Amino acid sequence: RKEVEQDPGPFNVPEGATVAFNCTYSNSASQSFFWYRQDCRKEPKLLMSVYSSGNEDGRFTAQLNRASQYISLLIRDSKLSDSATYLCVVNQAGTALIFGKGTTLSVSS
Amino acid sequence: DAGVIQSPRHEVTEMGQEVTLRCKPISGHDYLFWYRQTMMRGLELLIYFNNNVPIDDSGMPEDRFSAKMPNASFSTLKIQPSEPRDSAVYFCASSLGTGGAGYTFGSGTRLTVV
């Protein structure tokens, strides 16, 4: 079983739609959680950290359920520019980031 | 700062040849990571360094792969001999500490072994 699992998609949505991505992780010792964004043929870049209380950054909302080892990302009012691959990422103290394979989002007009 | 700089951007080589990938981390960052990305396996950690010392190389596929960090501003990943299954995008990243909010990735090296 992979440490971080995501539905690869693709998710194809129209502009203005709300879309949600889910991710599960297997190691209960994981302490830090993130969503990274990767555009086609580019490097991954941090989108947002994920906190236990849930957090929001504009149209993006991330939530963490430690008991279920589950992380989510909600994107409201999707824009064409949101089209990318979204990587779920976990981290244990003092170790390197572990990435999921990513979920591909395509937003169309 | 120019960010993490990797070279070359693209590399096409024949099976059996030696390949050397290079990375210059962000000045002041004390961690350097090498990742490999393929469609099948996603982004996998190969090795990482802390203050130029290798900490975890358990992700290095086999003895054909080696990595060095001779100083704080330079690291190499070498594959010898290369095989077609090594074809992938190799990313270098650096950070201050291992906290995931501070990773900066280079643009990657797209390696094709024919």
Side-chain angles (χ1 to χ4, degrees):
Chain A
R1 180 184 174 192
K2 282 193 69 68
E3 288 206 51
V4 181
E5 300 212 45
Q6 298 180 247
D7 178 348
F11 285 60
N12 298 303
V13 302
E15 277 187 289
T18 295
V19 61
F21 306 139
N22 304 317
C23 161
T24 57
Y25 59 96
S26 61
N27 193 330
S28 59
S30 299
Q31 296 187 348
S32 303
F33 309 89
F34 311 91
W35 285 99
Y36 271 66
R37 170 187 168 135
Q38 186 172 24
D39 293 306
C40 187
R41 293 183 169 264
K42 298 286 189 180
E43 70 274 21
K45 292 183 179 178
L46 177 69
L47 176 66
M48 60 193 302
S49 302
V50 187
Y51 303 116
S52 296
S53 55
N55 50 297
E56 190 173 301
D57 182 2
R59 297 181 294 108
F60 298 82
T61 300
Q63 293 199 309
L64 167 65
N65 184 322
R66 285 186 184 271
S68 301
Q69 296 181 197
Y70 172 95
I71 305 162
S72 66
L73 177 68
L74 182 77
I75 305 175
R76 291 180 301 277
D77 189 23
S78 298
K79 311 290 185 191
L80 294 175
S81 57
D82 294 335
S83 298
T85 297
Y86 291 83
L87 303 167
C88 179
V89 186
V90 304
N91 182 222
Q92 295 145 41
T95 66
L97 295 184
I98 300 168
F99 288 77
K101 290 177 68 174
T103 299
T104 299
L105 171 66
S106 178
V107 182
S108 57
S109 58
Chain B
D1 200 320
V4 176
I5 300 174
Q6 290 187 246
S7 63
R9 289 296 303 274
H10 303 274
E11 177 82 30
V12 180
T13 191
E14 291 187 346
M15 183 173 63
Q17 296 298 305
E18 177 179 296
V19 176
T20 300
L21 311 182
R22 297 172 175 79
C23 176
K24 176 178 167 52
I26 290 175
S27 176
H29 280 188
D30 57 348
Y31 281 84
L32 183 140
F33 309 85
W34 283 101
Y35 285 86
R36 176 173 70 174
Q37 188 173 38
T38 61
M39 288 291 291
M40 288 294 294
R41 302 177 67 89
L43 202 59
E44 301 175 288
L45 177 70
L46 299 176
I47 185 171
Y48 74 96
F49 296 83
N50 176 218
N51 291 323
N52 314 337
V53 176
I55 302 301
D56 182 357
D57 66 354
S58 60
M60 296 286 263
E62 49 199 89
D63 291 346
R64 297 185 298 106
F65 285 68
S66 62
K68 293 182 180 180
M69 191 164 186
N71 57 61
S73 58
F74 184 65
S75 177
T76 59
L77 178 67
K78 186 174 293 186
I79 308 172
Q80 166 63 19
S82 57
E83 297 182 3
R85 60 190 167 127
D86 301 331
S87 297
V89 181
Y90 291 80
F91 286 105
C92 175
S94 71
S95 71
L96 195 58
T98 53
Y103 278 44
T104 301
F105 281 80
S107 300
T109 294
R110 185 171 296 273
L111 174 65
T112 303
V113 183
V114 298

